[in-house]
Amino acid sequence: MSEIQNVVIFVVDALRWDSLPTEVESKGIVRKTIAQSLYTVPSFSSIATGLYPQEHGANGWGERISSDVDTIFDLDGYDTGFYQEVPPNKDAVYSVLRQNEQTPLSDLEPPFVYMERDLSPHMPLLSYSDTQQYFKDKKNNWPDIEQDYHDAVAESASTFEERLDYLESEGILDKTLVVFTSDHGELLGEHGCALHSSPTVPELVYVPTVFIHPSLDSSNSNTGEVIEHVDITSTVTGNLEDTDLETSGTDILNSSRDRDWGYNHIRINRGGRTFYDADSLWTKDGGYVRVNNPLLLRLLYVLNEVFRAPSRFATRPNVVKMIQTYSRQSTQFGQLDRSDSESNDLIDNLIESFSEHSADEGEKLDSEIKDHLSDLGYVDT
């Protein structure tokens, strides 16, 4: 690649692999991506560090990336910033990433590294500001919900186009590696469920990534190869000068990955108990999911989803399917072409290679942040 001075990582929250806008797909090299986790905190932390959730330590709201782990915002010699429309006093993701300011792209001077979180397709959708009210009105009208979702994805594509236009107007587009990706997918009624965080299923694990730069040949854009969140970070730092961020991924623009699969980890804690914990292995064609915690706790979590969660108005009619989904201790999806035993061994060997860190305690979740998390559906009301 020609000289890269800047990086823009545009992360569309809750964008599924099968919902990548065609106008974005045509701009660069597309890779099917294994999300490192199934909700914002661990996945954004993996993109920021190039490390798996156990390695960076941040797995929940109220936590932040371990202080002894470097991020893309710590790169020497680069102006760095994180932006989303929601300000720091209302969203804990700033604290998770150890960022204190809402920094728009226009505030940065080259050379820079910039990350943006776009919340358009994240529930609640469109004109709604509260997830519970959205589902109370829509109930389980999935065709309407899907249309709202795709309309919201189109908004994200429009915002992304504005970022590209800005780079071009500043005369720095040819010196900037642009990455369009997502932190996790979204459930729109599949498996009896809605939203994200759990269970571990393809609709949540597979997300798109598009690498955009004038020197990249997009004629052979989608090779079918899978990458992981950690590879995004490695690719970013691998194409910048004088960066020494230690990651667990591969610079996929200059090297080949040493395996044809990716790893996902999710742990849902509430009140000191783990209600859902799963490790999984995914290829381009399918996956193997191993659930680690007791069935009783998973069933209690289903009861919470059905009677208290903001999406309950949509999921309650499909409670039997939801129970079936959460009851499975292990599951294969698609065409994995390897046994459960082999998958377990690969997962265990990868986990054993991790240098695990404990998360730092983040900023205390004050009432404004809790209200915002409730509106997004992360906290029950």
Side-chain angles (χ1 to χ4, degrees):
M1 292 181 65
S2 58
E3 181 184 6
I4 299 294
Q5 294 183 356
N6 316 299
V7 170
V8 169
I9 305 175
F10 190 88
V11 187
V12 181
D13 203 309
L15 177 63
R16 299 159 53 123
W17 162 249
D18 60 10
S19 298
L20 173 64
T22 54
E23 60 269 38
V24 177
E25 181 179 4
S26 64
K27 292 182 184 296
I29 292 178
V30 180
R31 292 291 181 269
K32 192 174 192 177
T33 304
I34 311 304
Q36 242 62 84
S37 195
L38 303 180
Y39 73 111
T40 297
V41 172
S43 286
F44 260 88
S45 298
S46 285
I47 298 171
T49 62
L51 301 175
Y52 293 99
Q54 296 95 322
E55 294 181 298
H56 60 62
N59 276 291
W61 300 107
E63 298 180 345
R64 61 181 179 182
I65 297 167
S66 177
S67 56
D68 57 354
V69 171
D70 288 334
T71 75
I72 58 172
F73 304 110
D74 299 315
L75 293 175
D76 291 335
Y78 290 89
D79 202 5
T80 63
F82 172 78
Y83 177 82
Q84 63 175 13
E85 287 192 356
V86 183
N89 66 317
K90 291 188 176 181
D91 198 305
V93 72
Y94 292 90
S95 177
V96 170
L97 300 176
R98 305 198 309 249
Q99 297 297 291
N100 300 315
E101 299 179 0
Q102 184 183 35
T103 307
L105 179 57
S106 57
D107 281 4
L108 300 179
E109 295 291 335
F112 61 76
V113 174
Y114 169 81
M115 179 187 284
E116 178 168 349
R117 179 192 185 199
D118 180 279
L119 280 158
S120 298
H122 192 297
M123 294 287 178
L125 298 174
L126 304 179
S127 60
Y128 285 83
S129 60
D130 179 86
T131 299
Q132 179 167 287
Q133 188 60 50
Y134 177 84
F135 281 112
K136 191 173 183 179
D137 290 351
K138 297 287 183 176
K139 298 183 172 57
N140 65 332
N141 186 342
W142 294 112
D144 267 12
I145 294 170
E146 288 180 21
Q147 186 59 56
D148 289 348
Y149 177 78
H150 291 301
D151 288 346
V153 170
E155 288 187 6
S156 296
S158 178
T159 301
F160 180 66
E161 192 70 48
E162 291 175 5
R163 302 298 178 262
L164 295 179
D165 289 345
Y166 171 79
L167 295 171
E168 187 170 22
S169 69
E170 292 294 306
I172 56 175
L173 184 58
D174 62 342
K175 292 179 172 29
T176 305
L177 176 60
V178 180
V179 183
F180 178 97
T181 191
S182 179
D183 53 347
H184 51 73
E186 188 80 332
L187 284 168
L188 303 172
E190 299 91 350
H191 314 283
C193 305
L195 305 177
H196 50 269
S197 298
S198 66
T200 306
V201 291
E203 294 84 357
L204 296 185
V205 172
Y206 291 129
V207 299
T209 299
V210 186
F211 296 95
I212 302 170
H213 187 267
S215 69
L216 295 176
D217 180 10
S218 59
S219 61
N220 188 25
S221 170
N222 189 2
T223 63
E225 299 174 34
V226 293
I227 66 171
E228 303 175 82
H229 277 153
V230 294
D231 298 319
I232 295 173
T233 324
S234 299
T235 303
V236 163
T237 57
N239 286 278
L240 291 173
E241 291 186 355
D242 302 323
T243 58
D244 57 358
L245 191 68
E246 293 186 9
T247 70
S248 293
T250 300
D251 173 3
I252 63 102
L253 297 180
N254 295 300
S255 305
S256 297
R257 299 183 78 244
D258 61 3
R259 60 178 190 262
D260 67 346
W261 57 275
Y263 168 73
N264 179 279
H265 172 72
I266 181 64
R267 187 176 71 241
I268 304 296
N269 288 336
R270 297 285 189 275
R273 289 185 176 179
T274 300
F275 286 91
Y276 187 83
D277 183 294
D279 297 300
S280 56
L281 175 154
W282 299 85
T283 68
K284 65 183 178 67
D285 298 316
Y288 166 76
V289 180
R290 180 182 73 197
V291 180
N292 304 313
N293 68 307
L295 174 60
L296 176 59
L297 289 173
R298 281 178 272 140
L299 294 180
L300 288 174
Y301 186 73
V302 170
L303 289 177
N304 180 79
E305 293 295 289
V306 171
F307 291 105
R308 295 187 59 190
S311 59
R312 62 189 182 274
F313 305 100
T315 58
R316 195 173 292 167
N318 290 321
V319 62
V320 173
K321 185 183 290 187
M322 187 188 296
I323 290 172
Q324 291 172 341
T325 298
Y326 276 94
S327 295
R328 299 186 187 104
Q329 200 72 36
S330 65
T331 311
Q332 279 208 20
F333 292 95
Q335 299 176 335
L336 186 58
D337 196 29
R338 47 174 51 93
S339 68
D340 289 2
S341 176
E342 181 184 0
S343 297
N344 275 315
D345 288 344
L346 290 171
I347 290 171
D348 289 339
N349 289 338
L350 179 65
I351 293 173
E352 286 177 8
S353 73
F354 294 159
S355 297
E356 297 192 13
H357 293 79
S358 298
D360 293 339
E361 185 175 347
E363 300 294 331
K364 185 177 181 181
L365 300 182
D366 62 22
S367 58
E368 283 191 290
I369 290 178
K370 286 181 179 178
D371 287 345
H372 178 65
L373 292 176
S374 174
D375 290 341
L376 294 179
Y378 285 113
V379 178
D380 299 334
T381 56

